[in-house]
Amino acid sequence: MASAAGGASGKDWFDCLPDDLVHHVLSFLPALDAVRTSVLSRRWRDFWVSMPRLNVDVGDFRDDGQFENFTVHALPLLDSSVPLRSLRLRSSLHYLSALWVNHAVKRKVAVLEYSGRAELCSSVDASLSLASSYLTKVVLKHFDFDYGQFWPLIDACPALENLSLKHLRIVSCLFYNGFRINAPNLLTMCLDDVNVNGPLGHDSLVLENLSSLMTASVSVYHCFYPKHYVKTELHFFHGLSHARNLKLIAPLYEALFEEGLPTCPVFNNLKCLVLGDWCMAFDLYPLRCILRQSPMLEELCVELGEEECENCKNRKPAFSYGEISPFWCDRLKTIKIKCTEHDERFVALLQLFCKILVCIEEVDIDRQWVSAQPPDSSEL
């Protein structure tokens, strides 16, 4: 048996594995299971304390009490001198989550993925800190955010503000008044299934100084148009004006997008554009407005997957739209329209394209049938 397990010498095969390989294997395990490997052999007793990646999921524990006990006893034993490549954390226990995040920051973590509860957005613990010059990627899911709660965390991190933040993804989160994203080195940004709360006059979500942005996706699946709000000109689109690829998905109607149209900038770099139902409002005004401001556009996709919101059918525009001067989309070569089989808006789109395309016969127009249901956020 000894020979079969460890070779001719009878040595335990666990002791034959190189340290780097052991750490690589442990990186795929949940933190709880990684700790349990300490009983495999004497040599493995302390491998888990220097894992280069941590995967901590409250769902792996019997209850919150077991997770708290694990955090209290295991976290202090981790080797803080070993740089951490990534932390993947899922927990709704804010004070315990802050301990894990703060530990990761001390270990110069590069990638942070932090998720709260899917069924209920959580707030960020006041003791959590992202003050680091090493973070290059941040993924946040299921949180309530406002400027006072979250953005000071980013402001305290010069690398995120000036150098290192390249990719940002925020999923299923609630933004309150004055939330700002200011990251001049950001390359990709995904705000998926976001919800904006608060009076629009306070600029609930502001995107600014995103001069390096290449690809951006903003998806809002819950119609937001409060009965009472402060009428103002939002500058939401200005932060997206440098993007080459842009996706804006929202139902009819969505104030976050609509209120930014009067000051819509020119998208000089935009090559590929995807728009949702919101662009069809008010005789296709949003669509016409953005197309006019996208002189370099080559590919357009219009995804019509939802019915018009019952509460908004009789709503009047928040401001006077006025006329859009004639324009041509002379670089537009590919158009995709995703809609249900009997969606009458398809004809309206064709009528518009006949007016703005130099030669519609040279444009590839593809109609794709979809079922009448909201889009799946997992596909974005």
Side-chain angles (χ1 to χ4, degrees):
M1 293 296 293
S3 177
S9 64
K11 186 177 181 180
D12 191 333
W13 70 274
F14 284 116
D15 292 330
C16 299
L17 298 176
D19 290 0
D20 290 344
L21 179 57
V22 174
H23 279 133
H24 181 70
V25 172
L26 293 181
S27 295
F28 291 95
L29 296 178
L32 182 60
D33 291 339
V35 173
R36 288 169 174 166
T37 63
S38 62
V39 302
L40 295 177
S41 74
R42 181 174 298 179
R43 178 169 171 261
W44 280 49
R45 182 175 300 171
D46 297 322
F47 268 127
W48 67 274
V49 304
S50 55
M51 289 188 299
R53 303 178 188 273
L54 289 175
N55 185 355
V56 184
D57 190 335
V58 69
D60 295 332
F61 297 86
R62 182 176 60 253
D63 51 36
D64 292 347
Q66 185 187 26
F67 177 55
E68 181 175 10
N69 185 64
F70 176 82
T71 300
V72 170
H73 290 90
L75 190 58
L77 299 178
L78 295 177
D79 190 348
S80 299
S81 66
V82 179
L84 192 63
R85 296 177 188 174
S86 67
L87 169 64
R88 181 176 295 175
L89 173 66
R90 190 175 74 87
S91 168
S92 58
L93 302 176
H94 316 312
Y95 64 100
L96 296 178
S97 299
L99 294 177
W100 286 101
V101 173
N102 292 341
H103 168 82
V105 169
K106 290 179 181 178
R107 291 178 58 181
K108 305 176 182 179
V109 65
V111 178
L112 172 64
E113 299 183 22
Y114 181 18
S115 175
R117 294 175 58 186
E119 65 273 18
L120 180 64
C121 286
S122 306
S123 59
V124 177
D125 190 88
S127 63
L128 184 144
S129 174
L130 295 183
S132 169
S133 59
Y134 300 93
L135 270 172
T136 59
K137 181 179 180 180
V138 178
V139 178
L140 302 166
K141 300 181 181 181
H142 311 301
F143 286 99
D144 292 347
F145 289 139
D146 64 21
Y147 185 88
Q149 266 191 318
F150 180 76
W151 203 250
L153 303 177
I154 304 300
D155 288 340
C157 184
L160 288 178
E161 181 176 337
N162 299 319
L163 296 175
S164 298
L165 184 60
K166 300 294 183 65
H167 310 281
L168 175 64
R169 185 174 181 223
I170 300 179
V171 181
S172 300
C173 295
L174 178 62
F175 295 126
Y176 287 98
N177 302 336
F179 186 86
R180 295 175 179 268
I181 296 179
N182 182 325
N185 208 43
L186 192 66
L187 296 178
T188 66
M189 178 183 68
C190 176
L191 307 181
D192 185 10
D193 191 19
V194 297
N195 198 341
V196 180
N197 194 12
L200 295 178
H202 291 274
D203 286 343
S204 302
L205 177 60
V206 179
L207 308 177
E208 58 187 5
N209 198 18
L210 304 180
S211 56
S212 300
L213 192 64
M214 298 289 291
T215 300
S217 174
V218 183
S219 303
V220 184
Y221 296 134
H222 305 286
C223 179
F224 173 64
Y225 220 105
K227 295 181 179 179
H228 305 288
Y229 60 92
V230 179
K231 294 183 179 181
T232 184
E233 291 185 347
L234 299 185
H235 296 81
F236 176 80
F237 291 115
H238 284 264
L240 304 173
S241 61
H242 296 279
R244 291 174 58 89
N245 305 287
L246 181 59
K247 185 173 186 176
L248 300 171
I249 300 295
L252 286 171
Y253 297 90
E254 176 54 46
L256 176 63
F257 295 156
E258 182 185 321
E259 292 293 296
L261 292 174
T263 59
C264 185
V266 176
F267 298 91
N268 285 316
N269 301 324
L270 191 59
K271 301 288 187 179
C272 181
L273 174 64
V274 180
L275 297 175
D277 297 78
W278 72 278
C279 75
M280 304 294 292
F282 311 122
D283 192 25
L284 283 69
Y285 181 90
L287 174 59
R288 292 185 289 122
C289 179
I290 294 183
L291 288 180
R292 184 179 184 277
Q293 300 297 92
S294 306
M296 308 302 291
L297 189 65
E298 298 176 356
E299 299 180 23
L300 170 67
C301 179
V302 180
E303 299 182 356
L304 306 178
E306 299 182 357
E307 298 294 333
E308 188 175 21
C309 173
E310 291 294 334
N311 296 328
C312 301
K313 281 187 175 181
N314 298 321
R315 187 184 63 79
K316 296 181 180 179
F319 49 84
S320 177
Y321 274 68
E323 291 296 326
I324 295 180
S325 57
F327 65 96
W328 297 99
C329 293
D330 54 353
R331 294 177 179 267
L332 189 56
K333 299 302 180 182
T334 303
I335 298 175
K336 294 182 180 180
I337 303 174
K338 299 181 180 181
C339 62
T340 58
E341 183 175 0
H342 303 291
D343 197 326
E344 297 179 355
R345 294 176 291 180
F346 176 76
V347 176
L349 287 171
L350 288 183
Q351 292 174 344
L352 172 63
F353 296 143
C354 288
K355 296 178 181 178
I356 65 174
L357 296 174
V358 176
C359 184
I360 193 170
E361 290 80 7
E362 298 180 359
V363 179
D364 181 16
I365 300 180
D366 179 24
R367 182 176 185 179
Q368 300 180 7
W369 306 112
V370 297
S371 58
Q373 59 184 7
D376 184 357
S377 61
S378 63
E379 297 179 355
L380 298 179

